[in-house]
Amino acid sequence: MGKLSGLRHLFMTLFLHNFASFMVIPAITDVTMAALCPGRDECSLAIYISGFQQAIIGLGSFVMMPLVGNLSDKYGRKALLTVPITLTIFPLAILAYSRTRSFFYAYYILKILTAMFCEGSVHCLSLAYVADNVPEGRRASAFGILSGIGSCAFVCGTLSTRFLSTASTFQVSTAMAMLSAVYMRVFLPDSIINDNLSTPIISEGKSDDVANQNEEPGKKMQVFKTMLSMEDMLALLKSSNLADVGLHASLLYYLKARFHFNKDQFADLMVITGVAGTISQLLLMPILAPALGEERLLSVGLFFSSAHMIFYSIAWSFWIRSIVSKQIGPCEQLCSCPKERHFISPVSVLCASGLPR
């Protein structure tokens, strides 16, 4: 555990950063709706601009992440971690000050610009930091603990949102983001990149290019030589789980429109999923990784992820809705009792599928 204890400052930095980032997720839907369509629970504009934002951020991150990785190899993990952790503060500070329409648009534009660099880079650089400081045979367990810390921050952040007002949520989030940046700069030591890795991160052919960079310091900077080719990027894009990303991006607006969810109910749902992720990543993965091996553990994870998507796809089938409907009284079904419209029952989903009332 000596090597893992040496990562405690990284774990604390990641916890504080994720806490600040995740605690605003349950509230951002209400803020968006209030700024664009005040007094309404349905707003096509909010969905369209949120989808556009996700698309631009995704494409920007797709291009920037290889560059961030190469720059961190050259200038160090801590230097590159400083940039996204610091940039995260500014969009949060805008909504902490005001959430009117003009300030929301300012947040929206700044969020797109900063998230293209910040989205995912903190986690990727943290993984690289762990790989620099942990032997190969123990990296799977260390990665599991790192992911578990992120899930724990997700639970704590969304749970805290449950007890804060919308204004206080963004103010606390901004303060936590600033604290994470200060903590990292003060306490986190820079990692020492081992040039004799037993499993190189890049191929031998490309490592020759890196060596040539050091031999030619007077020439133009060659950071881009080790980046992925466009063919590699397209292959990675094709293998990505775009459907899952799209599902999560639109789910909050669907729940808001159909069941009148607010930030407190969003937080309740997120805490449930976050607790499950924390248990699996923080407790089970470090135990199972040495016993099963990395490949088998990856296969188990992919199997359960596929099973989740399959179960979700059949959850809206008519025979599932019929079975659930028979187990619930008429006045517990949201669509049967207009006066109880804000009561969220187990079969509220029936209304969304057009089941006869």
Side-chain angles (χ1 to χ4, degrees):
M1 295 295 292
K3 284 288 185 181
L4 295 182
S5 64
L7 300 174
R8 62 185 182 275
H9 294 307
L10 175 67
F11 292 155
M12 179 56 71
T13 299
L14 187 67
F15 178 86
L16 294 173
H17 172 76
N18 286 346
F19 185 95
S21 300
F22 290 140
M23 72 178 302
V24 301
I25 295 178
I28 194 63
T29 303
D30 287 343
V31 170
T32 303
M33 296 290 292
L36 301 180
C37 304
R40 295 169 53 188
D41 286 332
E42 299 182 24
C43 183
S44 299
L45 178 61
I47 298 175
Y48 291 147
I49 70 168
S50 297
F52 176 78
Q53 182 186 54
Q54 291 293 327
I56 297 300
I57 291 174
L59 291 174
S61 300
F62 184 66
V63 174
M64 292 299 298
M65 286 304 99
L67 177 60
V68 170
N70 283 298
L71 289 174
S72 70
D73 291 338
K74 184 176 180 65
Y75 297 105
R77 314 300 185 200
K78 183 176 179 179
L80 266 294
L81 271 171
T82 303
V83 179
I85 289 180
T86 303
L87 289 178
T88 302
I89 299 172
F90 298 105
L92 296 174
I94 291 176
L95 292 185
Y97 180 77
S98 178
R99 288 154 302 282
T100 59
R101 175 173 295 189
S102 58
F103 280 93
F104 173 80
Y105 280 123
Y107 158 82
Y108 178 81
I109 295 172
L110 188 59
K111 176 67 174 178
I112 292 178
L113 297 177
T114 58
M116 287 191 293
F117 187 89
C118 302
E119 196 84 12
S121 62
V122 173
H123 185 69
C124 293
L125 291 171
S126 299
L127 292 175
Y129 188 99
V130 171
D132 294 339
N133 293 275
V134 176
E136 180 187 353
R138 303 182 62 182
R139 286 178 189 169
S141 298
F143 291 159
I145 294 175
L146 186 71
S147 299
I149 294 294
S151 297
C152 184
F154 179 84
V155 172
C156 295
T158 53
L159 185 61
S160 65
T161 304
R162 186 69 173 78
F163 303 102
L164 295 172
S165 66
T166 300
S168 298
T169 296
F170 286 95
Q171 292 166 0
V172 172
S173 175
T174 303
M176 294 298 289
M178 296 172 64
L179 180 60
S180 68
V182 173
Y183 183 93
M184 183 207 62
R185 293 304 304 174
V186 174
F187 294 105
L188 183 67
D190 206 347
S191 63
I192 300 175
I193 301 176
N194 184 4
D195 294 329
N196 299 315
L197 290 173
S198 57
T199 304
I201 297 176
I202 57 177
S203 64
E204 294 181 359
K206 291 185 178 179
S207 63
D208 294 337
D209 292 337
V210 178
N212 291 335
Q213 292 179 35
N214 299 327
E215 295 173 1
E216 301 174 355
K219 291 189 176 182
K220 185 179 179 180
M221 191 169 112
Q222 301 291 322
V223 173
F224 295 94
K225 293 182 71 174
T226 57
M227 290 182 62
L228 294 174
S229 65
M230 184 58 66
E231 182 180 352
D232 294 333
M233 288 185 175
L234 291 176
L236 182 61
L237 181 62
K238 291 178 181 178
S239 62
S240 299
N241 195 351
L242 298 177
D244 194 42
V245 175
L247 170 65
H248 287 88
S250 60
L251 180 59
L252 298 184
Y253 290 103
Y254 172 79
L255 294 174
K256 177 75 174 177
R258 181 58 62 178
F259 306 127
H260 308 280
F261 271 35
N262 56 33
K263 75 174 183 64
D264 295 338
Q265 291 157 329
F266 290 143
D268 291 340
L269 291 178
M270 292 178 183
V271 166
I272 295 173
T273 59
V275 168
T278 301
I279 294 175
S280 64
Q281 294 170 346
L282 197 57
L283 300 179
L284 296 181
M285 187 173 175
I287 297 175
L288 295 178
L292 298 179
E294 298 175 5
E295 293 185 1
R296 291 182 180 177
L297 189 61
L298 179 61
S299 299
V300 171
L302 291 175
F303 170 77
F304 280 103
S305 179
S306 300
H308 165 260
M309 296 300 292
I310 293 173
F311 291 145
Y312 194 89
S313 66
I314 66 172
W316 300 93
S317 300
F318 70 93
W319 53 275
I320 291 289
R321 301 198 305 268
S322 298
I323 293 174
V324 175
S325 179
K326 292 176 181 178
Q327 308 301 317
I328 304 297
C331 285
E332 290 182 297
Q333 301 186 34
L334 181 67
C335 46
S336 298
C337 299
K339 294 183 180 180
E340 301 293 333
R341 189 147 184 83
H342 292 282
F343 175 76
I344 306 302
S345 71
V347 292
S348 297
V349 295
L350 302 178
C351 302
S353 305
L355 190 70
R357 300 188 169 111

